[in-house]
Amino acid sequence: MILITAKTHPFLIESLELKGYQVLYVPDITYEQLAEKITDATGIVVTTRINIDKAIIDKAKHLKWIGRLGSGMEQIDTVYAAEKNILCVSSPEGNRNAVAEHALGMLLNLMNFIDKSSREIKEGKWLRDENRGVELSGKIVGIVGFGNTGSAFAKLLSSFDVTILAYDKYKFGFGNATVKEANMEQLCRYADVISFHLPLTAETHHLANNDFFNCLQQKPYIVNTCRGAVVDTGALIDALQKDLIAGAALDVLENEKLSTLNEKERSELHFLNNREDVLLTPHIAGYTNEAFLKMSKVLLEKLGI
């Protein structure tokens, strides 16, 4: 039996069934319900909604593989899974282009006041001088994390007349005619835009903190389409208040379950929502119709199904 615990393209279910698998499609399953159902599963498909921790893995006596739709494996205890000879695969190749396009779209929107000026027209205001935009061409763009989405973002940017500085702590030798390898100090010193493309780990948690923002020298735009907790929301707000950054485009938040926000988180979200130099979207960067299908295809290919 294969358990699918998240919304997925019908192609994934149909493909598994054609191969003779019994598929249990339970996109709303809870952690507690999963603990009961997983005992008979040979495979499980997940996103970031449910933790696949040691306790769950111990109950999965027949589990052979864990498939992650999208990128980032922080919800899965991959080390313990490996000890149990359980294969773990993800499918970032399926939605990397979608994330890159969304990051670029948010950035251009922010730099050219597209959302802001559109709202103003609906309010009967026709403000041209107040919405004079800034061109991306000629700027220095910093990319933090040069994996699937970071490199896809760089590919899109290559059509603009920009200098790309990319930093990846674990990758070297990826520089080319359009991408220059750099360190974080250089990004903070020279970049007019800084975009984050990282998994969430203990190392990347709050990477963009007060120290980071205080080191910025060009008042850059900040783009985050990876994981909300890579950016310290309080530090970002402080940077906006101190005029250290030109604006922020965020597709992710530290807590995306709005019904569970505590008082501090509600106050932070209220602040961000009322800033004209902040653009927020609900974690949809890698969620296009095309990516929805491609993630399933990549997952099946990696699993050899």
Side-chain angles (χ1 to χ4, degrees), residues 13 21 31 83 103 109 126 148 150-151 154 167 174 193 274 288 303:
I13 301 170
Y21 291 99
Y31 177 90
E83 292 176 7
N109 186 328
W126 191 267
N148 280 284
S151 58
Y167 167 71
F174 57 81
V193 175
N274 284 278
T288 63
L303 291 169

Side-chain angles (χ1 to χ4, degrees), residues 180-193:
K180 301 181 188 302
E181 294 179 49
N183 56 41
M184 282 296 286
E185 181 184 354
Q186 290 168 321
L187 262 66
C188 290
R189 183 182 302 172
Y190 299 115
D192 302 297
V193 175

